[in-house]
Amino acid sequence: MYSFTKAHRVLQVQEEEEETRYHTRNSSAAEMDYFSQQKQIISSILVFFLLFVSSIDPAHSAESHNFNHDQANQTFRPGEKLQKLKMIRAHLMKINKPSVKTIQSPDGDTIDCVLSHRQPAFDHPKLKGQKPLDPPERPKGHDPTGILSEDFQLWRISGELCPQGTIPIRRTSEQDILRASSIRRFARKLPTTIRRDSTGNVHEHAVGYVTGDEYYGAKASINVWAPQVASQYEFSLSQMWVIAGSFYDDLNTIEAGWQVSPELYGDNYPRFFTYWTSDAYQATGCYNLLCSGFVQTNNQIAIGAAISPTSSYNGGQFDISLLIWKDPKHGNWWLEFGSGILVGYWPSFLFTHLRDSASMVQFGGEVINSGVSGFHTSTQMGSGHFADEGFGKASYFRNLQVVDSDNSLIPFSNLQVLADHPNCYDIQGGNNHVWGNYFYYGGPGRNSRCP
């Protein structure tokens, strides 16, 4: 029988050896503080391991959960469990960077203020040794003010900010990774088609989109809700997609918006997020800053942190404005939040088709319907109410625009709308002088018309 005392000693010796190597390589106070943080994380992993393997019942893995929730119980030998925990430990050390300051958010998040050039993006071979780029030229027709509401995210309620030269990053915990189906799939969407004519897909949408031209960006204002999500392995989001390539293995997308994802974040708060992929969600890309990809340049916004306030049914409405556009000079895709606050950029080398332009821009909602109960999910999209309920009750996107080849922000006249399960989630488009192109969308999921 495997000795738990021996397992404990193996990890302890490894920790001591790594601590010696780490202190030899890095002597700054910030990095010493980082190692102390990591040691606490490692200790909690070890406690989890000892409690887990010393229980009477065989260990069961959530590694192989799927959307039918046909989970076959798997018994792991202690050595295999130790190997998994070592992999989690290594992954945490890779994505949780040394911080110069730490801020505790009232929702339980820990926000680390990380030196800009030490963020995960610069682990990429093509970015090693570099620093974030200077702001690019804004699209013509865009008039930013650079004002950001202080209470846009919960972590800022205390009034604390990250220092200049750093960026705020939501710290990842071992629990975050353990909720995922595997370490490899952590912080990634399932590899799946996003074709809109598919009725067998677990992803369901209500979207407005434009196609048939070359697009160099998009802008919209989206009101934020806190939809109910029925299962840990489902999500509800509202976002913009900038798309190029086919809907198969060469799909390129850039995405930004808000989402409720209990699996990724461990709660039901709506959170500001980004995503990217260059191969249809198979092996490239991730959410937020959880892999080397997106380069953040802003010290006021934490990607992945909870949004506050949110809209209320038949009450106050709160929306966020997002702009994504391609820098004509360097070809990188930049993200702006609100009235002129640059969040950062996706380097052009991450992509194949999007190195040139996008062939489609899409706006709207998406949910996961796991079908675990044999019925349609009751996960809500948007406000959880159908589009015909209108302002104050239904979710909306307004002031939809695209960026053309002249780097001009322009309205468009060919908005198409589509809901692939309209009895569960629907959409209604329109146009007026105040909101320009807009649509209402969303729904409750399971109901009398959506069994």
Side-chain angles (χ1 to χ4, degrees):
M1 183 175 180
Y2 192 91
S3 167
F4 301 133
T5 303
K6 182 178 179 182
H8 182 280
R9 182 55 187 159
V10 168
L11 278 183
Q12 188 178 47
V13 169
Q14 291 174 341
E15 289 170 15
E16 291 170 353
E17 291 175 348
E18 185 152 358
E19 183 172 2
T20 300
R21 291 195 299 269
Y22 193 94
H23 286 195
T24 300
R25 291 194 308 266
N26 305 285
S27 58
S28 73
E31 290 171 336
M32 294 281 285
D33 179 63
Y34 168 69
F35 184 83
S36 176
Q37 295 167 5
Q38 293 306 309
K39 190 168 182 180
Q40 291 175 5
I41 290 172
I42 292 163
S43 297
S44 61
I45 292 175
L46 184 58
V47 169
F48 172 85
F49 165 67
L50 293 174
L51 289 174
F52 191 91
V53 300
S54 62
S55 62
I56 295 174
D57 294 327
H60 297 306
S61 170
E63 185 83 8
S64 60
H65 81 263
N66 56 40
F67 286 106
N68 293 321
H69 281 228
D70 250 348
Q71 297 183 1
N73 290 336
Q74 299 182 23
T75 301
F76 283 85
R77 293 187 299 274
E80 293 174 337
K81 192 64 183 176
L82 178 59
Q83 182 61 30
K84 180 179 179 180
L85 292 173
K86 287 173 66 177
M87 291 172 65
I88 291 174
R89 170 190 174 187
H91 196 66
L92 285 171
M93 294 188 72
K94 182 178 180 181
I95 59 179
N96 286 331
K97 301 299 185 180
S99 63
V100 300
K101 180 181 178 180
T102 296
I103 300 171
Q104 295 299 324
S105 176
D107 62 346
D109 282 356
T110 298
I111 304 299
D112 290 324
C113 301
V114 176
L115 292 171
S116 296
H117 66 281
R118 296 294 302 274
Q119 64 182 288
F122 293 101
D123 290 339
H124 196 288
K126 292 189 176 181
L127 290 178
K128 277 191 177 296
Q130 299 185 32
K131 293 185 178 181
L133 296 174
D134 292 330
E137 176 187 353
R138 299 296 214 288
K140 304 178 186 71
H142 180 50
D143 185 23
T145 63
I147 298 174
L148 179 65
S149 171
E150 289 188 1
D151 58 359
F152 149 64
Q153 291 187 310
L154 287 175
W155 72 274
R156 297 193 59 190
I157 288 178
S158 68
E160 288 193 83
L161 282 176
C162 284
Q164 290 295 327
T166 71
I167 63 166
I169 302 180
R170 177 185 182 270
R171 185 185 300 174
T172 301
S173 69
E174 65 268 22
Q175 288 82 10
D176 292 335
I177 299 179
L178 286 167
R179 282 192 304 271
S181 60
S182 68
I183 297 174
R184 187 179 66 86
R185 294 309 312 168
F186 171 68
R188 299 188 181 208
K189 290 187 177 182
L190 286 177
T192 180
T193 173
I194 57 171
R195 290 180 63 176
R196 302 299 166 231
D197 57 356
S198 172
T199 57
N201 203 321
V202 297
H203 295 252
E204 298 185 10
H205 307 80
V207 296
Y209 64 95
V210 290
T211 189
D213 205 344
E214 294 180 349
Y215 305 101
Y216 295 84
K219 184 180 181 182
S221 293
I222 317 166
N223 67 337
V224 181
W225 297 82
Q228 295 180 6
V229 175
S231 163
Q232 176 174 304
Y233 300 114
E234 297 181 348
F235 63 64
S236 180
L237 59 76
S238 296
Q239 67 170 66
M240 300 193 308
W241 292 260
V242 177
I243 302 169
S246 70
F247 290 98
Y248 296 100
D249 59 2
D250 67 340
L251 181 73
N252 288 200
T253 75
I254 289 171
E255 308 171 27
W258 61 263
Q259 69 177 161
V260 175
S261 177
E263 179 180 7
L264 186 58
Y265 304 107
D267 57 35
N268 290 281
Y269 289 110
R271 294 170 176 271
F272 175 50
F273 82 95
T274 62
Y275 200 92
W276 67 275
T277 182
S278 62
D279 62 355
Y281 307 100
Q282 295 180 93
T284 63
C286 64
Y287 282 110
N288 309 330
L289 304 182
L290 294 170
C291 66
S292 57
F294 186 83
V295 179
Q296 184 164 336
T297 60
N298 187 278
N299 72 326
Q300 302 176 63
I301 294 175
I303 305 176
I307 298 173
S308 178
T310 59
S311 301
S312 59
Y313 185 77
N314 214 18
Q317 301 299 294
F318 175 76
D319 62 26
I320 59 176
S321 178
L322 299 174
L323 167 65
I324 297 171
W325 84 102
K326 187 179 183 183
D327 173 14
K329 185 175 181 180
H330 296 105
N332 303 311
W333 292 85
W334 282 78
L335 173 63
E336 180 185 286
F337 180 95
S339 300
I341 304 299
L342 287 179
V343 182
Y345 59 93
W346 292 269
S348 61
F349 64 73
L350 296 174
F351 306 102
T352 52
H353 300 288
L354 282 175
R355 289 189 187 186
D356 299 319
S357 62
S359 56
M360 176 185 287
V361 172
Q362 188 168 279
F363 314 84
E366 176 183 356
V367 301
I368 290 289
N369 173 28
S370 65
V372 60
S373 63
F375 301 100
H376 192 282
T377 183
S378 58
T379 287
Q380 298 175 333
M381 179 186 292
S383 68
H385 294 264
F386 286 113
D388 61 5
E389 294 197 40
F391 184 77
K393 299 178 180 179
S395 306
Y396 63 76
F397 276 65
R398 63 180 177 88
N399 297 120
L400 308 181
Q401 296 173 284
V402 294
V403 179
D404 66 11
S405 58
D406 190 41
N407 196 34
S408 295
L409 194 60
I410 59 172
F412 48 84
S413 57
N414 59 334
L415 178 69
Q416 302 178 65
V417 295
L418 177 65
D420 45 28
H421 293 75
N423 289 331
C424 311
Y425 315 103
D426 69 353
I427 184 169
Q428 293 181 5
N431 184 285
N432 62 36
H433 293 297
V434 178
W435 276 17
N437 285 300
Y438 71 88
F439 59 80
Y440 290 103
Y441 71 103
R446 188 183 179 195
N447 64 84
S448 59
R449 294 184 295 139
C450 174

